[in-house]
Amino acid sequence: MINLIIGTQWGDEGKGKIVDLLGETADYAVRFHGGNNAGHTVVIGEKKFPFHLIPSGILRPKTVGVITNGVIIDLEVLLKEIEFLKENGFSLKNKLLISSRCHLIMPYHKALDEAYENARGKNKLGTTRRGIGPTYADKVSYNGIRVYELVNWSAFEEKFSFQAKIKNKILKLFGVEPINIKKSLNEFKKYREKILPYVADTFKVLQEAVKSKKNIIFEGAHGVMLDNDFSPYPFATGSNVVTGAVNTGAGVILPKDTNVWGVIKAYLSRVGGGPLPTEINDKIASLIREKGWEYGTTTGRPRRIGWLDLEAVKFSVKVCGINKIALTKIDVLSGLEKLKVCVGYQYQGKKIDYSECGYLELTELEPVYKEFSGWSEDISKIRDFSHLPKNCQNYINFIEKFLEVPIEIISVGPDRNQNIYKFKDRT
Ligand code: GDP
Ligand code: IMO
Ligand code: MG
């Protein structure tokens, strides 16, 4: 069985939790794009596990984590994550594989990300400043350095020194401190020793796994609205987020019977700049932010809040071929008197689709809302769809009908066990 998890909004939909849940019996959990701009949370009882590069499925005893070629790696962050897991009793010995094709996030990438953001001033994009854009830019312009070079150390030394010298010139133009090449090389030498044991031919491993019908979970990062092509660019991330990224990012062609899960948060959040048609800035937004603890897993920044935008999600469903939905954080909406859902856009007096919009249209358009009556009950302990308040059922049923995709999981709290499964079978 193959499960692919896709964030359908602007990220932070609760993908980490769903990966952990659906990956219970997975043989492999795979990160196939993005870098440590991702922050995926798994909660088990009192303990919180924030993942940035290691697949969230790794906590399951027999699951092997795989980081494939589409992922870009900050070695310092990866090693810290490995340490954190070890300290919490999860050894990664024989449980983590890293492709030698992964590109490395270098100190100069982080410095460049920071320098560009500062230079943009009031037009800053609000990146995570983790070096994502500059690393992918180097990848496509043949200036990247891969784990492959780490394996072949003298090639690494040569390429790193060459690139760092050029980047230092650019950093100088920004008036930024240059990278200390010698110091960086010494650090990379230390990282190298620790990382090399995990390097493997992930292509071969996954080809074999697909052929022998192993249970695989592909963990998408970010959200379709941040996809490098399908976002309101330049308010994007550096990678493709859509289903096709599994092919380019892991070398796998997904079989027809793949479960393509769209994770939808019952409202929406966004970190960073850019248009957000259904954004709210009032008391309700603060209430949702505090109750849903909408603060960045990676940067700690307060997340912007908006009503659920089904026009945008419908686009994600189409572009990714989503055939199952996991709806998350519906518990956070308890206590609101009225709820709104965006069911379409109006621009200059006419209907406009998400696919027609760039950032200018998305900034100016008017969302068309459908209003719902809220519910006051705490639903976090409910495990049966039929036990949910009627108004909550109406809200969920509407989403399902609008998107024409079955909602199979309703998550009503951060913990692994706070879920309502396949409610249709029970009603
Ligand atoms: P991801 O990036 O999509 O994996 O999402 P994040 O981990 O960045 O943010 C989701 C946050 O919501 C995390 O703190 C989760 O523990 C939490 N969470 C996930 N599902 C639920 C849910 O159904 N209800 C509540 N209250 N919190 C949830
Ligand atoms: P997960 O996987 C939320 C956003 C950043 C910024 C834009 C570009 O946890 O859902 P980048 O550092 O990628 O160049 O920043 O993309 N962004 C995310 N927002 N969740 C994420 O990942 C994100 N990954 C990138 O906030 O607006
Ligand atoms: Mg996140």
XYZ file of all heavy atoms in Angstrom, residues 23-81:
448
model
N 1.148 5.905 9.029
C 2.394 5.151 8.858
C 2.582 4.103 9.928
O 3.679 3.554 10.071
N 1.535 3.802 10.666
C 1.667 2.868 11.789
C 2.361 1.567 11.386
O 3.191 1.040 12.107
C 0.280 2.589 12.377
C 0.356 1.809 13.665
C -0.987 1.666 14.357
O -1.983 2.245 13.869
O -1.028 0.965 15.386
N 2.008 1.052 10.212
C 2.598 -0.229 9.802
C 3.483 -0.053 8.564
O 3.757 -1.020 7.846
C 1.485 -1.253 9.481
O 0.654 -0.671 8.468
C 0.655 -1.596 10.695
N 3.939 1.173 8.334
C 4.724 1.419 7.110
C 6.113 0.771 7.195
O 6.731 0.740 8.257
C 4.874 2.918 6.884
N 6.574 0.258 6.061
C 7.955 -0.233 5.984
C 8.895 0.955 5.770
O 9.993 0.980 6.299
C 8.091 -1.218 4.811
C 7.198 -2.431 4.998
O 7.479 -3.203 5.926
O 6.204 -2.577 4.253
N 8.429 1.905 4.957
C 9.258 3.079 4.665
C 8.437 4.357 4.787
O 7.291 4.410 4.337
C 9.805 3.010 3.225
C 10.735 1.847 3.005
C 10.278 0.673 2.402
C 12.063 1.910 3.422
C 11.127 -0.411 2.214
C 12.920 0.834 3.235
C 12.438 -0.319 2.633
O 13.281 -1.383 2.458
N 9.043 5.380 5.401
C 8.454 6.730 5.427
C 9.438 7.625 4.698
O 10.629 7.648 5.029
C 8.261 7.200 6.861
N 8.945 8.348 3.691
C 9.848 9.018 2.750
C 9.607 10.525 2.696
O 8.485 10.976 2.442
C 9.631 8.440 1.323
C 10.665 9.001 0.354
C 9.664 6.917 1.328
N 10.652 11.306 2.929
C 10.612 12.746 2.608
C 11.203 12.905 1.218
O 12.313 12.449 0.953
C 11.452 13.540 3.617
C 10.729 14.084 4.855
C 9.737 15.213 4.619
N 10.269 16.404 3.948
C 10.838 17.415 4.555
N 10.954 17.425 5.864
N 11.274 18.467 3.860
N 10.492 13.568 0.306
C 10.926 13.594 -1.097
C 11.153 14.998 -1.664
O 11.524 15.134 -2.824
C 9.924 12.822 -1.972
C 8.505 13.341 -1.868
C 8.029 14.272 -2.769
C 7.661 12.901 -0.861
C 6.730 14.771 -2.671
C 6.360 13.394 -0.748
C 5.895 14.324 -1.651
N 10.906 16.028 -0.880
C 11.176 17.395 -1.374
C 11.298 18.335 -0.181
O 10.995 17.978 0.963
C 10.058 17.878 -2.308
C 8.807 18.224 -1.579
N 8.423 19.507 -1.329
C 7.867 17.443 -0.988
C 7.292 19.508 -0.646
N 6.940 18.261 -0.433
N 11.752 19.556 -0.458
C 11.844 20.565 0.599
C 13.041 20.344 1.501
O 13.860 19.441 1.273
N 13.118 21.169 2.506
C 14.239 21.053 3.446
C 13.746 21.269 4.848
O 12.604 20.912 5.164
N 14.598 21.895 5.668
C 14.189 22.092 7.056
C 13.427 23.401 7.241
O 13.336 23.923 8.345
C 15.381 21.991 8.005
C 16.557 22.815 7.565
O 17.241 22.459 6.600
N 16.788 23.934 8.231
N 12.845 23.890 6.146
C 11.794 24.901 6.267
C 10.513 24.217 6.752
O 9.620 24.870 7.278
C 11.550 25.626 4.926
C 11.469 24.689 3.735
O 11.809 23.509 3.833
N 11.030 25.204 2.601
N 10.439 22.907 6.562
C 9.291 22.134 7.055
C 9.414 21.946 8.563
O 10.515 21.795 9.087
C 9.248 20.770 6.371
N 8.274 21.945 9.225
C 8.241 21.616 10.646
C 7.004 20.782 10.878
O 5.898 21.299 10.813
N 7.185 19.487 11.076
C 6.056 18.561 11.212
C 6.035 18.018 12.639
O 7.041 17.481 13.098
C 6.192 17.407 10.208
C 6.192 17.866 8.779
N 6.447 17.031 7.725
C 5.940 19.088 8.233
C 6.370 17.722 6.594
N 6.070 18.966 6.877
N 4.890 18.125 13.287
C 4.817 17.757 14.705
C 4.069 16.440 14.900
O 2.986 16.255 14.359
C 4.051 18.854 15.492
O 4.464 20.126 14.996
C 4.309 18.755 16.971
N 4.666 15.581 15.732
C 3.966 14.371 16.178
C 3.869 14.459 17.699
O 4.857 14.766 18.368
C 4.738 13.088 15.770
C 4.031 11.840 16.275
C 4.907 13.028 14.248
N 2.682 14.217 18.220
C 2.491 14.277 19.673
C 2.102 12.895 20.167
O 1.145 12.289 19.688
C 1.381 15.299 20.041
C 1.145 15.316 21.548
C 1.753 16.696 19.548
N 2.906 12.393 21.137
C 2.576 11.107 21.756
C 2.490 11.356 23.252
O 3.505 11.599 23.904
C 3.643 10.037 21.449
C 3.872 9.951 19.940
C 3.227 8.681 22.002
C 5.051 9.082 19.558
N 1.281 11.329 23.777
C 1.076 11.646 25.207
C 1.590 13.041 25.501
O 1.202 14.017 24.864
N 2.523 13.133 26.457
C 3.044 14.437 26.878
C 4.165 14.927 25.969
O 4.597 16.071 26.045
C 3.610 14.338 28.307
C 2.580 14.044 29.385
C 1.547 15.147 29.496
O 1.932 16.279 29.819
O 0.341 14.876 29.239
N 4.672 14.034 25.107
C 5.893 14.359 24.355
C 5.584 14.874 22.949
O 4.764 14.305 22.227
C 6.746 13.082 24.280
C 8.133 13.277 23.813
C 9.090 13.734 24.910
C 10.242 14.460 24.253
N 10.917 15.409 25.058
N 6.312 15.955 22.578
C 6.153 16.557 21.256
C 7.407 16.285 20.440
O 8.514 16.544 20.927
C 6.007 18.072 21.436
C 4.913 18.689 20.634
C 4.848 20.179 20.898
C 3.531 20.704 20.357
N 3.356 22.099 20.456
N 7.267 15.776 19.242
C 8.414 15.560 18.365
C 8.302 16.470 17.143
O 7.477 16.233 16.263
C 8.475 14.095 17.902
C 8.740 13.122 19.013
C 7.694 12.614 19.770
C 10.039 12.726 19.310
C 7.931 11.722 20.805
C 10.290 11.833 20.338
C 9.219 11.335 21.091
N 9.122 17.511 17.072
C 9.091 18.367 15.878
C 10.106 17.862 14.850
O 11.300 17.791 15.138
C 9.516 19.740 16.425
C 10.266 19.452 17.698
C 10.033 18.034 18.105
N 9.629 17.482 13.680
C 10.526 16.982 12.627
C 10.750 18.051 11.570
O 9.813 18.736 11.166
C 9.912 15.754 11.947
C 9.895 14.539 12.819
C 8.756 14.185 13.516
C 11.027 13.746 12.947
C 8.735 13.068 14.337
C 11.020 12.624 13.756
C 9.866 12.278 14.454
N 11.997 18.156 11.115
C 12.315 19.122 10.052
C 12.833 18.436 8.797
O 12.534 18.828 7.684
C 13.316 20.157 10.564
C 12.794 20.934 11.722
N 11.802 21.875 11.585
C 13.081 20.884 13.044
C 11.513 22.388 12.779
N 12.268 21.792 13.681
N 13.624 17.402 8.982
C 14.181 16.680 7.825
C 13.909 15.177 7.888
O 13.708 14.534 6.863
C 15.703 16.912 7.756
C 16.110 18.283 7.195
C 17.552 18.592 7.539
C 15.907 18.338 5.681
N 13.941 14.640 9.084
C 13.698 13.196 9.224
C 12.198 12.940 9.063
O 11.383 13.690 9.615
C 14.206 12.707 10.603
C 15.738 12.829 10.630
C 13.772 11.279 10.893
C 16.375 12.467 11.936
N 11.833 11.910 8.295
C 10.402 11.645 8.110
C 9.685 11.386 9.443
O 10.212 10.677 10.308
C 10.392 10.394 7.224
C 11.722 10.404 6.538
C 12.682 11.017 7.502
N 8.502 11.961 9.581
C 7.738 11.843 10.833
C 7.351 10.396 11.146
O 7.028 10.088 12.293
C 6.450 12.666 10.754
O 6.721 13.984 10.380
N 7.376 9.544 10.140
C 6.996 8.149 10.348
C 8.041 7.342 11.097
O 7.792 6.193 11.498
N 9.185 7.907 11.361
C 10.323 7.161 11.929
C 10.046 6.635 13.337
O 10.695 5.693 13.794
C 11.577 8.075 11.942
C 12.879 7.259 12.061
C 11.531 9.099 13.040
C 13.496 6.984 10.765
N 9.057 7.225 14.038
C 8.809 6.818 15.422
C 8.210 5.422 15.516
O 8.249 4.797 16.563
C 7.891 7.828 16.115
C 8.427 9.269 16.204
C 7.412 10.187 16.850
C 9.747 9.323 16.969
N 7.664 4.941 14.415
C 7.091 3.583 14.435
C 8.224 2.561 14.383
O 9.171 2.725 13.600
C 6.155 3.397 13.233
C 4.998 4.379 13.194
C 4.040 4.148 14.325
N 2.846 4.992 14.220
C 1.840 4.937 15.091
N 1.896 4.102 16.117
N 0.788 5.706 14.947
N 8.118 1.503 15.213
C 9.272 0.612 15.411
C 9.878 0.019 14.136
O 11.085 -0.041 14.005
C 8.740 -0.501 16.320
C 7.418 -0.047 16.803
C 6.965 1.135 16.014
N 9.038 -0.420 13.180
C 9.657 -1.116 12.038
C 9.839 -0.215 10.807
O 10.277 -0.654 9.751
C 8.874 -2.389 11.700
C 7.574 -2.155 10.962
C 7.034 -3.496 10.480
C 5.821 -3.297 9.611
N 5.850 -3.486 8.269
N 9.513 1.070 10.951
C 9.557 1.957 9.780
C 10.959 2.528 9.557
O 11.577 3.074 10.469
C 8.561 3.120 9.972
O 7.292 2.569 10.305
C 8.445 3.961 8.714
N 11.422 2.389 8.318
C 12.709 2.971 7.943
C 12.443 4.336 7.309
O 11.606 4.464 6.417
C 13.450 2.047 6.935
C 14.715 2.717 6.396
C 13.783 0.712 7.600
N 13.144 5.348 7.769
C 13.001 6.697 7.194
C 13.914 6.844 5.989
O 15.068 6.409 6.024
N 13.379 7.448 4.928
C 14.179 7.622 3.711
C 14.139 9.091 3.299
O 13.058 9.682 3.191
C 13.633 6.746 2.552
C 14.579 6.782 1.355
C 13.419 5.303 3.003
N 15.311 9.661 3.068
C 15.393 11.042 2.576
C 15.932 10.964 1.157
O 17.079 10.574 0.937
C 16.313 11.899 3.484
C 15.762 11.919 4.923
C 16.450 13.309 2.930
C 16.622 12.678 5.917
N 15.061 11.304 0.198
C 15.433 11.058 -1.207
C 15.973 12.316 -1.887
O 16.012 13.393 -1.292
C 14.218 10.504 -1.993
O 13.171 11.481 -1.918
C 13.742 9.175 -1.437
N 16.349 12.152 -3.149
C 17.094 13.179 -3.888
C 16.462 14.576 -3.938
O 17.163 15.577 -4.060
C 17.348 12.712 -5.325
C 16.063 12.399 -6.080
O 15.467 11.347 -5.877
N 15.617 13.309 -6.921
N 15.129 14.656 -3.836
C 14.469 15.966 -3.938
C 14.660 16.842 -2.705
O 14.367 18.037 -2.740
N 15.140 16.239 -1.628
C 15.272 16.976 -0.363
C 16.611 17.715 -0.318
O 17.622 17.201 -0.800
C 15.182 15.995 0.843
C 15.390 16.717 2.170
C 13.848 15.255 0.833
N 16.610 18.913 0.252
C 17.877 19.614 0.478
C 18.165 19.587 1.979
O 17.250 19.733 2.797
C 17.847 21.054 -0.090
C 16.677 21.868 0.471
C 17.757 21.016 -1.618
C 16.676 23.321 -0.002
N 19.437 19.364 2.310
C 19.771 19.029 3.699
C 20.727 20.030 4.329
O 21.792 20.320 3.786
C 20.433 17.626 3.755
C 19.471 16.568 3.213
C 20.865 17.276 5.178
C 20.055 15.164 3.184
N 20.337 20.525 5.501
C 21.255 21.259 6.359
C 21.791 20.226 7.349
O 21.057 19.746 8.226
C 20.496 22.390 7.074
C 21.410 23.251 7.925
O 22.426 22.726 8.445
O 21.126 24.453 8.077
N 23.055 19.867 7.196
C 23.616 18.756 7.978
C 23.559 19.015 9.481
O 23.336 18.098 10.271
C 25.062 18.498 7.548
C 25.216 17.862 6.166
C 26.683 17.807 5.774
C 24.615 16.467 6.118
N 23.771 20.277 9.863
C 23.753 20.605 11.292
C 22.370 20.297 11.879
O 22.249 19.700 12.948
C 24.088 22.096 11.438
C 24.423 22.494 12.847
C 24.636 24.004 12.966
O 24.761 24.687 11.924
O 24.648 24.488 14.106
N 21.329 20.687 11.133
C 19.951 20.465 11.598
C 19.652 18.966 11.638
O 19.078 18.451 12.608
C 18.942 21.189 10.673
C 17.513 20.845 11.026
C 19.161 22.694 10.737
N 20.076 18.263 10.598
C 19.817 16.823 10.536
C 20.490 16.100 11.706
O 19.869 15.253 12.368
C 20.324 16.264 9.193
C 20.137 14.765 8.977
C 18.673 14.361 9.065
C 20.695 14.345 7.616
N 21.740 16.453 11.991
C 22.461 15.783 13.083
C 21.825 16.092 14.436
O 21.742 15.223 15.307
C 23.938 16.179 13.060
C 24.704 15.553 11.880
C 26.077 16.188 11.705
C 24.831 14.036 12.044
N 21.340 17.324 14.591
C 20.647 17.680 15.848
C 19.382 16.850 16.007
O 19.029 16.405 17.094
C 20.288 19.175 15.836
C 21.394 20.029 16.388
C 20.860 21.424 16.720
C 22.040 22.363 16.980
N 21.871 23.681 16.393
N 18.695 16.654 14.882
C 17.452 15.870 14.926
C 17.748 14.415 15.296
O 17.022 13.817 16.088
C 16.787 15.928 13.546
C 15.421 16.553 13.608
C 14.747 16.651 12.256
O 15.174 17.498 11.457
O 13.805 15.896 12.017
